[in-house]
Amino acid sequence: KQEVTQIPAALSVPEGENLVLNCSFTDSAIYNLQWFRQDPGKGLTSLLLIQSSQREQTSGRLNASLDKSSGRSTLYIAASQPGDSATYLCAARNDYKLSFGAGTTVTVRA
Amino acid sequence: GAGVSQSPRYKVAKRGQDVALRCDPISGHVSLFWYQQALGQGPEFLTYFQNEAQLDKSGLPSDRFFAERPEGSVSTLKIQRTQQEDSAVYLCASSQTSGGAWNTGELFFGEGSRLTVL
């Protein structure tokens, strides 16, 4: 069974700092890895999807890397803003099934 | 529709009541998933439909949980004789991907139905 772990569980930074969120998974035979954002009381918004053959994906201030062999992915958010405050979840896909970590809750202080 | 729509957004049930949660996926999406998210946790897989066929129901916690998608579009998750441990957010997701194309398959989630069992 795929196990996904996210460290740290919570993170608080001043505005402008870069954020580094870590995700590890136990079964490296993944199809892809997806990063999501979840605001309180809301559903999940997809941020980035990295296919198993890719090393990284970028969208604006967000960059996600994938090291399949070591079972790790990292989400970088540059120049953080208070609007980036949310919970970030990573999910590893094996076939049709996504397995999620518990998330990292980010607070960006103005 | 523009996105995945779920109703009701909030449901309070007394222990022992039956509840039904509805999901309208993005139009044309073949695949539909239900996930359960407990407070402070990541979503856990419940079940997967490809069109009207339920291909995997291994995540359903007990035989009190039942899901259907009779015409391959709208889906309903039914929970019979609700228990306090059923309190959670139930998330529905859809994807246009099916079969062997999951390496590019992106999932789109609804806002969830928050169930509170008293």
Side-chain angles (χ1 to χ4, degrees):
Chain A
K1 182 190 172 191
Q2 178 73 273
E3 300 287 345
V4 180
T5 304
Q6 291 187 249
I7 294 172
L11 191 57
S12 179
V13 299
E15 183 176 3
E17 266 199 21
N18 297 331
L19 290 162
V20 180
L21 309 180
N22 297 300
C23 170
S24 62
F25 48 94
T26 55
D27 182 356
S28 62
I30 61 169
Y31 283 42
N32 61 43
L33 187 134
Q34 202 167 348
W35 282 92
F36 294 89
R37 169 182 172 140
Q38 187 172 35
D39 293 287
K42 301 290 187 181
L44 278 65
T45 301
S46 178
L47 297 174
L48 290 166
L49 181 148
I50 313 174
Q51 296 179 41
S52 61
S53 59
Q54 297 174 325
R55 298 284 294 187
E56 65 177 336
Q57 276 287 341
T58 298
S59 176
R61 293 184 294 112
L62 275 59
N63 174 276
S65 66
L66 175 64
D67 185 341
K68 217 175 73 159
S69 60
S70 67
R72 293 180 184 175
S73 178
T74 303
L75 178 66
Y76 302 89
I77 304 177
S80 62
Q81 304 168 358
D84 294 328
S85 298
T87 297
Y88 293 83
L89 295 140
C90 72
R93 177 181 295 289
N94 297 86
D95 197 4
Y96 53 82
K97 193 178 292 188
L98 275 181
S99 299
F100 284 85
T104 295
T105 298
V106 171
T107 303
V108 181
R109 309 186 302 272
Chain B
V4 179
S5 177
Q6 293 188 244
S7 62
R9 289 291 320 280
Y10 304 92
K11 176 71 178 176
V12 178
K14 291 183 180 178
R15 190 163 58 93
Q17 279 185 336
D18 297 348
V19 300
L21 308 176
R22 177 188 168 103
C23 173
D24 275 282
I26 294 172
S27 179
H29 277 196
V30 170
S31 296
L32 185 145
F33 299 82
W34 284 98
Y35 282 81
Q36 180 190 57
Q37 187 175 24
L39 191 64
Q41 300 297 316
E44 294 280 345
F45 170 83
L46 293 178
T47 187
Y48 163 51
F49 289 86
Q50 184 175 312
N51 296 307
E52 69 279 4
Q54 189 175 21
L55 299 187
D56 188 343
K57 56 181 181 179
S58 63
L60 295 176
S62 75
D63 59 8
R64 296 185 296 104
F65 286 71
F66 172 75
E68 60 182 5
R69 193 186 186 199
E71 297 178 357
S73 55
V74 170
S75 176
T76 305
L77 177 67
K78 297 179 179 177
I79 309 172
Q80 297 177 324
R81 304 181 304 281
T82 53
Q83 304 293 316
Q84 285 189 324
E85 61 262 28
D86 299 335
S87 296
V89 176
Y90 291 86
L91 295 164
C92 177
S94 71
S95 175
Q96 62 183 4
T97 302
S98 65
W102 285 112
N103 60 319
T104 57
E106 190 171 1
L107 232 54
F108 297 89
F109 281 80
E111 296 214 322
S113 292
R114 181 178 297 275
L115 172 65
T116 303
V117 181
L118 304 176

